[in-house]
């Protein structure tokens, strides 16, 4: 899939805008994500923390789960914005991998600068995917 710089910037800008609503009173580390499906729909997400810390959910998973709960399971790209251009956590990489290893991941900082662009396949080598469960019995 070929992406234009305008498309990249537009998805990063949507994640920056979404990030304003991040609920991160404990870590203060706000994350925003924007996901574009193959059908052209956009879903955004933010991290939502909880006083019982482990119940926190990451921005990427919120965006992906919003899409899936809407019946959308084929993704083109996802942008992730943090202050310092942080990388998606392992759990989010695994959830991304569930829906396709070719999804493009844009990692950007709080100024909207693209820090890294890679596929889920590159982010999570040797991923465990649904195909691994297709075993003969
Ligand atoms: N966080 C995300 O939203 N996405 C990631 O991929 C990494 C971590 C959130 C979870 C928590 O609210 C905060 O960042 C600090 O870990």
């Amino acid at each position: 899939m070929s992406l234009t710089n305008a498309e990249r910037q537009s998805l990063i800008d949507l994640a920056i805008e979404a990030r304003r609503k991040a609920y991160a009173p404990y870590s203060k580390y706000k994350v925003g994500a924007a996901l574009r499906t193959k059908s052209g729909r956009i879903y955004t997400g933010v991290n939502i923390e909880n006083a019982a810390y482990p119940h926190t959910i990451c921005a990427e998973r919120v965006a992906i789960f919003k899409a899936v709960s809407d019946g959308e399971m084929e993704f083109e790209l996802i942008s992730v914005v943090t202050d310092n251009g942080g990388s998606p956590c392992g759990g989010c990489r695994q959830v991304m991998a569930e829906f396709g290893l070719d999804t493009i991941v844009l990692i950007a900082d709080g100024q909207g600068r693209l820090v890294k662009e890679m596929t889920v396949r590159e982010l999570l080598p040797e991923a465990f995917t649904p195909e691994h469960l297709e075993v003969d019995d």
Side-chain angles (χ1 to χ4, degrees):
M1 199 195 66
S2 66
L3 271 182
T4 65
N5 279 340
E7 286 178 303
R8 287 186 180 86
Q9 207 54 56
S10 141
L11 214 73
I12 290 170
D13 289 347
L14 287 167
I16 288 179
E17 182 57 29
R19 183 170 173 257
R20 289 152 54 94
K21 297 206 178 76
Y23 178 73
Y26 308 108
S27 73
K28 318 272 189 220
Y29 192 76
K30 294 184 168 198
V31 188
L35 175 71
R36 191 171 87 192
T37 67
K38 287 192 177 164
S39 64
R41 296 173 97 171
I42 304 278
Y43 293 89
T44 60
V46 297
N47 54 331
I48 303 170
E49 299 186 344
N50 193 280
Y53 295 174
H55 300 293
T56 290
I57 184 164
C58 294
E60 300 92 314
R61 273 180 284 161
V62 169
I64 292 169
F65 293 163
K66 279 165 75 176
V68 174
S69 66
D70 235 3
E72 295 280 350
M73 281 184 281
E74 293 192 304
F75 309 141
E76 235 164 37
L77 71 156
I78 183 167
S79 64
V80 186
V81 170
T82 56
D83 252 347
N84 58 359
S87 196
C89 80
C92 287
R93 295 175 194 209
Q94 182 64 37
V95 170
M96 290 174 191
E98 179 75 15
F99 300 103
L101 299 176
D102 294 318
T103 303
I104 294 170
V105 184
L106 306 177
I107 299 170
D109 69 15
Q111 308 301 308
R113 287 182 295 237
L114 182 64
V115 170
K116 215 161 227 178
E117 173 171 342
M118 56 208 312
T119 61
V120 172
R121 192 187 311 283
E122 291 167 320
L123 256 186
L124 189 64
E126 306 295 331
F128 184 79
T129 61
E131 288 71 44
H132 289 103
L133 296 177
E134 289 166 11
V135 288
D136 293 333
D137 50 16

